[in-house]
Amino acid sequence: MMCSLALFPPPLPGDGETSHYYSKDEFTTDPSVWFEESHALNLYFPRESLKPHSRPESSSKAAFRDHCETLYTRSAGAWRDAGLSGLLNEIANSSAEVPKWLGVSSRCVLALLQWVSSFHGSLFPHLTLSSEEMTAEFSQVLDWSDCAVRGFAWHPHTQKCAVALLDDSIKIYNPKSSTSPTLKHRLQRSVAALQWKPLCASDLAVACHNCLLVWHVDPTSLSTRYTHTHTHTHTQPHSPQVLPQRFHCSPSRRPSSGCAQVLSHPGHSPVTSVAWSPSGSLLVSASPRDTAMLVWDVAVESCVPLHRVGGGGVTHISWSPDGSRLMAATPSSLFRVWETRMWTCERWPSLKGRCQSGCWSPDGSRLLFTVQGETVIYALTFTDTPGLPLGMSGGPKAATVVADLSETSLDTPDGDTMVGGEIQSLAWDPRGERLAVLLKGDAGAGRPAMIAVFKTQINPAFKLLPCGFVQGEPGTEPRLMQFNPNFRHGAQLTVCWSNGKITHVAFYFMSARVPQPGVGGSPPLPISQGRPADYVNQTLYTELIS
Amino acid sequence: SGHSKDGLCTGSSRRDQVIFWRAVASIAWSVLLLPPTTALYVVLSRFSLFHPLQWLTGKRTLKNVIYSQNIAIFSFILLCGVVLLVGFFNLEYYSVVPSIACSKIALLGHVLHPRQFFHSLVHCIMGVVVAWCCAVTIGGRYQALGYPCMKDESGPQMCLNENHLVLLLAGAFVGYSHSLLGLVHNMNYISFHTVQQYKYLCFKGTLPLVMRASAVQALYSLRNFLALYFFMGYVPRAWVCRTLDLQVDSSVYSLDCVSGLLDLSLLYQLWISASFLLFTWYITVLLFRIFVTEAYSFPVQPTFQEDAHQCLPEVITGKQPTILKFLALQDLARLSNHCPSRRQEVFSLSQPGGHPLTWTAVNRECLSLLSDLTERLVSHHDNVASNGRTNRSWVLFPPPGGSRSWVLAHVHHPLTSSLMSIIPSRLPSCPSSPHVFPHVHHPLTSSLTSSLMSLTSLTSSLTSRCGPWPICFMMSDWVLFSLQLPEASSQALFADSQAHIWALEGLSHLVAASYSEDQYGVVQTTLPSILSAMLMLQEAVDRHFKLPHASSKPGRSSFSMGDSSYKTLRFALRATLKTSIYRITATFGEHLNAVQMSSEHRKRLQNFLEYKE
């Protein structure tokens, strides 16, 4: 049985409810959605305070070079920056200094190259995008290019988070520490994704414009050096003597030896997705321009490219929590599910559009994914025990639709509200009890971007139940969301809003699953849920047990 | 005991067969790949820029091939023979523990070692053979060494075809430099990849790199060869003329001048032939590596008593040969991570008796590996701490009696000093690992000995001639300054660390899995010793990385067939060690407080529990 958003409790009216985020004793009308007030990590980054880096465009670069360098050094620089086409461009543009035949021939080759690349681009239209546009297109963040917060990552084991900002810096917050280090690197441009290394205290992988950075943020030496930075946080008032620390790797220092490792590979740019293996041993990175997915051994700084024909690149990767499988989406209507023992893959073609987002159930048995241009959530079920030699044989034969999020209008005290539409990203909480869906919305049609939350059940049968909507202050839209893996009383969804605020929405429940050892022992008594009776038994999707 | 010894012998020979058959399979595949490679070479060697149509239609090619069919078949058989021989050399010379030269003298010792000399010589000859096959295939003016020419005074004579000679010499040079660079870049070292793929996919993925590496390496070798031939070319030419009684045709330019060597067609043929030579050899090396490092699944428990020596605990504890031990450790790491059913076998009890024999054997071997490394690191650190502070370097002097034990002299300052201390010791700055894997071929000690013998004899002759000590010291000081490779001692310490990495991964995964899967509690009893071994290693590694040069990373070498992953093994070990401890602490959490351990270890463990390491 599969139903639509119409079964959801209506979203709260926009006005007047925002105070609930920050007032202590009131609850929202949906009792299952509580907003925890005075969270230590409620952060605020006003859009105005962050200046995006004004990057030297290629034209200004060329003009700069013209004045001060010889043809040879200019050519060498162009070769370094932009490869063969850059070199040819440079030669073709400086016709006064080169022999005529050289200029003509380089123009011809350049035209040929452009023709070939336009042909290639007609096969894979995404290749015609610039790097920034590509990152914005394939990022999991809604409206990435204009978003103050471009990335957010909870540490998998401790209450610590990293926030990537519009100005290409990364800040690290830890409620136990009064300092928040700022990570800056000259190669850290247009951050598309970031993730902490599992089973490690300090390593943070960042997907940058043309490389991967792995930061080593020493958790013990946070109070050695301080410099001033402009940060506004809700709970950490500025005090003159305690200011955040800044790590800065100067360009003169060898980048690999310092606090950041630079991992780059020719043709692998821009990097739009990174994923650590849950065992912490490998790092996988993907770029929409590179048909190969790179598997890095970070300590050794070596990588194994995994090439497969088709797709034209890899946009988004997601590792199953048990480490046995890896989903890799491509820019065309195809995605792959890799088996990580022998690194073979299963192709999932014939989608209507490209795979936009995907997430795994905590036991690694189910993959939910969404497709661009469609308003439904698909599920794949992997029944075999992971790790057997014939790993892929037990895989599913077809994806099933588990939820339909097409537009519906819901009654609210303020009148009808339109909800639904295309899906930007999915997030499943680490216990498998809540599924958050970030809906793109459509400003023209009066549909704001919104987060719909489902209750989920994995065992004995897979079930989806409506839970509620998460809305921000009026006029703000959610941009990015992630579940906190260390929340002990249920699930906690961290949402980054369009106005630069980061808030945390807690869902309290008694976990049906035995909590994972080490994650946090037995959860303390949860606050009981009094929920409207008419929503309890409505199941959006129930799997038939055969 | 006689019975067990017998079993061990047959066991080890049977186990050797695994590697042998894998090598045979790899050689068979490289022979099978020879026809397409040769065909590609033939097509490329006929390529002419100015006659593209002729090249495409290939009339000449066909005619030539039919014309010289017999010779073509013969040369192809020769090529097969060369590939077989290269494969045999791979099997004979490979090692899973790289031999790291700690100074340039040691490297020189490696080069001059008879074993390596033999290797170089054979490769040199094989290079000539391949180059001859290439010359025959190209035909035309490269076909033969002599050609009939008319000289004024006498009748028809045989003249030297210098093009052919240059091709042969280039083959010899490329063959020799392949052997030499193989030594310098540790091409015989076989590394295991972190990502296991099927052999075909692995081969397909690496093939473009090999092509590129062979083309680039051919260019470099050729540049060196041409420089050499430019200056020294007349020597082999005169020698060949004298021995074979050939004349030098004075109407043709000799090739050891600028205009002669700038023949584009000749350069192209030389480059293509050198690339072909290197490509076939590299493919053989590559296939050998892929086949040998393929994961092997050892049975955890024997189904019959006779097979006991083939199963995992036995192979892991065995010493000979090293590669099997490595394969077994790799299998352990994989099974502990991926296979719940095989993990169950590790945790099971022996049927009569009820002892956890498998787990005990695995655990004991892994712990001994770890404590070995700890010991090695600690002693190295102590050495450096006690001696390294006052001075920079060490010199080895032969003892007066000429016995095999060496005396280590501590040089304080070249001009003002004398011998500060004389300590009998083995190589201190370059700890090798013979006590861990005593059967690894480790030519370091002997070669260093022989090379130093010559050095010290030189020094002593100088001393006797010039009299006083200072000259000797200046000499040795210069030698030390120019010849020490700073990072090498750190690399050498961790040369076999792949084994430790697998041991750590295997142990930590097994311990983590035991939290929910170990029914009899066999792991629990050993948890304190595992934790203390890991923490002690962690401490030793931390201390080691505080030494100078230990944490500096080597530049990444690109497009070379030599595997330089051994240079960064210590970083991999450090990362794996941390992850392993975190894996155990994350799984057991607060329960670890009930484990017996020293207060110092508890403090360290507390750091891990709080994610502060």
Side-chain angles (χ1 to χ4, degrees), chain B residues 275-339:
Chain B
S275 305
F276 170 67
L277 182 152
L278 286 177
F279 183 69
T280 51
W281 293 5
Y282 283 169
I283 284 288
T284 317
V285 173
L286 174 72
L287 283 169
F288 181 76
R289 280 185 194 163
I290 290 176
F291 271 82
V292 163
T293 56
E294 193 196 1
Y296 187 86
S297 185
F298 294 89
V300 178
Q301 282 179 330
T303 36
F304 301 104
Q305 203 53 49
E306 303 89 73
D307 300 335
H309 56 266
Q310 286 189 15
C311 50
L312 192 66
E314 283 290 321
V315 182
I316 278 190
T317 46
K319 296 280 187 226
Q320 178 82 354
T322 322
I323 184 145
L324 273 180
K325 193 185 175 76
F326 270 58
L327 282 174
L329 283 166
Q330 185 191 29
D331 190 38
L332 176 73
R334 285 171 69 78
L335 85 86
S336 66
N337 194 6
H338 294 290
C339 306

Side-chain angles (χ1 to χ4, degrees), chain A residues 21-22 35-36 39 41-43 234 470 472-473 492-497 501-505:
Chain A
Y21 293 98
Y22 308 110
F35 299 104
E36 195 184 23
H39 191 281
L41 289 171
N42 279 335
L43 306 170
H234 271 191
V470 176
E473 297 170 36
Q492 188 184 44
L493 183 69
T494 300
V495 187
C496 307
W497 301 94
K501 282 189 178 168
I502 297 176
T503 59
H504 311 276
V505 185

Side-chain angles (χ1 to χ4, degrees), chain A residues 24 33 39 84 89 100 147 161-162 230 315 339 377 380 395 401 403 494-495 539 546:
Chain A
K24 200 156 198 163
V33 183
H39 191 281
L84 181 64
N89 215 351
K100 198 177 177 191
C147 188
C161 64
H230 309 278
T315 55
E339 162 275 319
I377 302 175
L380 291 176
V401 178
T494 300
V495 187
T539 312
S546 53

